[in-house]
């Protein structure tokens, strides 16, 4: 199979590229910066990997059997009105482009599947509700971003199978949420952020990559699929388990006002959570390797 991947240079994308290559699939890395991508995927380790900047994306997509769309500006940063605009616009811009290129492919050569990222932020936040794929969307800024992101992906031609993966907080080595939390714990300054009662719907990066891979090859994977582990935890529990695995205490709660001082409105990413369960993945019999957070943390950190 030939797979074009946007956001391939990112935390999730790099592992997906490795997984696809390990199974002898051809990968087209669609990037904004060829030189940066070449540093991430050196030729000696990735012989034959195609790396393409615009205006070559169209050609790459039209030669592919499948497309994975992961690109978007990181959201864990201090939000200003310009940054909020770019968080949304970057996702819509790349997704529209991908969809236009797929739709413009001649019918017989068109990619047959689009796996497009979205996020559990779609559901809004709650300390009490449980969200599955049938739950309605929330009414905050991130929910709006996810709705528009998903709606854009769904403008792809109807004969293309679409899987929208609503991704939770991805745990893995060298990036994502743990890269920010672990150094605090190692300095004995780790602890719950805010009240600690907010839900943390996480997934081990290997499970997420396997879920995306399965969505590429298995025609039963279509529509919205939550990319979260079966056992979400409250943030206080995550921090306690993280402290235990690292052999460090989890005693210093970080108050809301301090987070808001650092992250502004963007603090909602860590202060407000949601309990999201992977009902569809369970129905499809997806085999989670890491259903429990402690096992995921041990596999990543020990
Ligand atoms: P990263 O931030 O690590 O990588 C995203 C990639 O998107 C980058 O490598 C970059 O590729 C591209 N990108 C960055 N900024 C822009 C921009 N302004 N315009 C266009 N493209 C841009 O993301 P992750 O791998 O962590 O996540 C992948 C997707 O999954 C993201 O869309 C994210 O929102 C979503 N997600 C991730 C979660 C997580 O916990 N990691 C949780 C929920 C959703 P290049 O420079 O090569 O163009």
């Amino acid at each position: 199979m030939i797979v074009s991947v946007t956001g391939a240079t990112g935390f999730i994308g790099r592992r997906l590229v490795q997984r696809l290559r390990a199974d002898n699939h051809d990968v087209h890395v669609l990037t904004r910066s060829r030189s940066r991508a070449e540093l991430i995927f050196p030729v000696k380790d990735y012989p034959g990997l195609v790396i393409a900047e615009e205006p070559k994306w169209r050609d790459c997509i039209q030669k592919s059997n499948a497309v994975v769309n992961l690109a978007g500006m990181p959201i864990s940063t201090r939000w200003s009105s310009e940054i909020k605009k770019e968080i949304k616009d970057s996702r819509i811009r790349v997704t529209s482009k991908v969809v236009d290129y797929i739709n413009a492919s001649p019918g017989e050569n068109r990619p047959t599947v689009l796996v497009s990222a979205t996020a559990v932020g779609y559901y809004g936040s709650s300390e009490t509700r449980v969200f599955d794929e049938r739950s309605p969307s929330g009414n905050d800024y991130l929910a709006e971003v996810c709705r528009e992101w998903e709606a854009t992906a769904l403008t792809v031609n109807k004969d293309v199978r679409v899987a929208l993966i609503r991704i939770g907080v991805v745990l893995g080595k060298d990036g994502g949420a743990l890269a920010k939390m672990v150094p605090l714990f190692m300095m004995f300054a780790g602890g719950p952020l805010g009240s600690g009662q907010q839900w943390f719907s996480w997934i081990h990066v290997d499970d997420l990559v396997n879920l995306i891979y399965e969505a590429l090859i298995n025609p039963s994977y279509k529509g919205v699929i939550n990319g979260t582990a079966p056992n979400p935890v409250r943030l206080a529990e995550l921090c306690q388990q993280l402290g235990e695995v690292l052999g460090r205490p989890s005693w210093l709660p970080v108050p809301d006002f301090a987070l808001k001082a650092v992250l502004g409105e963007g603090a909602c990413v860590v202060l407000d959570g949601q309990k999201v369960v992977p009902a569809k993945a369970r129905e499809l019999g997806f085999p989670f390797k890491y259903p429990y957070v402690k096992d995921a943390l041990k596999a990543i950190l020990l």
Side-chain angles (χ1 to χ4, degrees):
M1 182 165 57
I2 305 175
V3 188
S4 283
V5 185
T6 74
T9 55
F11 172 55
I12 299 166
R14 290 174 200 202
R15 281 144 187 97
L16 177 67
V17 173
Q18 284 164 0
R19 172 79 165 82
L20 289 165
R21 293 291 288 180
D23 278 10
N24 291 320
H25 297 293
D26 289 326
V27 179
H28 294 172
V29 168
L30 307 186
T31 180
R32 291 165 306 160
S33 165
R34 198 186 149 83
S35 52
R36 197 175 82 88
E38 282 170 349
L39 293 176
I40 293 169
F41 301 112
V43 181
K44 67 175 173 46
D45 300 329
Y46 296 88
L49 185 79
V50 175
I51 298 179
E53 270 178 7
E54 280 288 46
K56 299 227 166 98
W57 285 26
R58 173 193 292 265
D59 191 43
C60 281
I61 286 181
Q62 297 191 345
K63 286 186 177 134
S64 299
N65 309 106
V67 181
V68 180
N69 178 39
L70 298 171
M73 187 194 184
I75 64 163
S76 53
T77 173
R78 191 180 167 83
W79 291 357
S80 60
S81 50
E82 291 79 37
I83 284 181
K84 279 174 78 176
K85 186 169 180 322
E86 181 59 10
I87 285 173
K88 193 203 273 189
D89 289 357
S90 60
R91 286 168 173 78
I92 307 302
R93 203 168 54 231
V94 175
T95 307
S96 301
K97 205 183 275 191
V98 163
V99 164
D100 287 350
Y101 293 161
I102 295 176
N103 289 347
S105 307
E108 68 281 10
N109 289 329
R110 188 172 284 151
T112 55
V113 52
L114 168 64
V115 179
S116 203
T118 161
V120 294
Y122 173 90
Y123 300 110
S125 63
S126 170
E127 283 188 10
T128 52
R129 294 177 61 196
V130 180
F131 300 101
D132 69 15
E133 288 84 353
R134 286 162 309 175
S135 303
S137 184
N139 47 26
D140 57 18
Y141 163 71
L142 286 177
E144 180 192 312
V145 171
C146 293
R147 277 198 306 276
E148 288 192 31
W149 196 7
E150 295 183 10
T152 308
L154 289 171
T155 59
V156 76
N157 195 294
K158 293 295 165 240
D159 56 15
V160 176
R161 177 169 59 85
V162 182
L164 297 169
I165 314 288
R166 285 193 189 136
I167 303 173
V169 183
V170 184
L171 303 183
K173 270 195 207 348
D174 308 325
L178 282 183
K180 297 202 167 79
M181 297 176 85
V182 168
L184 286 177
F185 275 79
M186 294 313 279
M187 291 186 300
F188 295 91
L193 307 173
S195 73
Q197 287 309 296
Q198 63 275 47
W199 283 99
F200 188 85
S201 293
W202 60 280
I203 185 166
H204 189 293
V205 69
D206 289 354
D207 276 334
L208 177 63
V209 164
N210 286 339
L211 186 70
I212 294 172
Y213 188 92
E214 201 58 32
L216 283 170
I217 60 171
N218 186 335
S220 310
Y221 283 60
K222 56 181 174 220
V224 174
I225 303 171
N226 288 337
T228 58
N231 299 290
V233 289
R234 292 193 190 265
L235 195 64
E237 189 187 338
L238 173 89
C239 291
Q240 193 202 325
Q241 306 276 10
L242 186 55
E244 278 178 34
V245 170
L246 292 171
R248 293 287 194 277
S250 167
W251 57 272
L252 192 69
V254 181
D256 291 19
F257 72 82
L259 276 170
K260 284 184 183 144
V262 178
L263 290 174
E265 207 188 336
C268 70
V269 175
V270 280
L271 290 175
D272 305 326
Q274 55 286 105
K275 182 178 187 180
V276 179
V277 292
K280 189 86 154 276
R282 298 306 286 268
E283 245 168 58
L284 289 161
F286 178 77
F288 283 94
K289 196 167 161 200
Y290 300 103
Y292 296 103
V293 77
K294 189 142 192 188
D295 295 333
L297 292 173
K298 281 186 184 162
I300 295 164
L301 298 168
L302 296 184

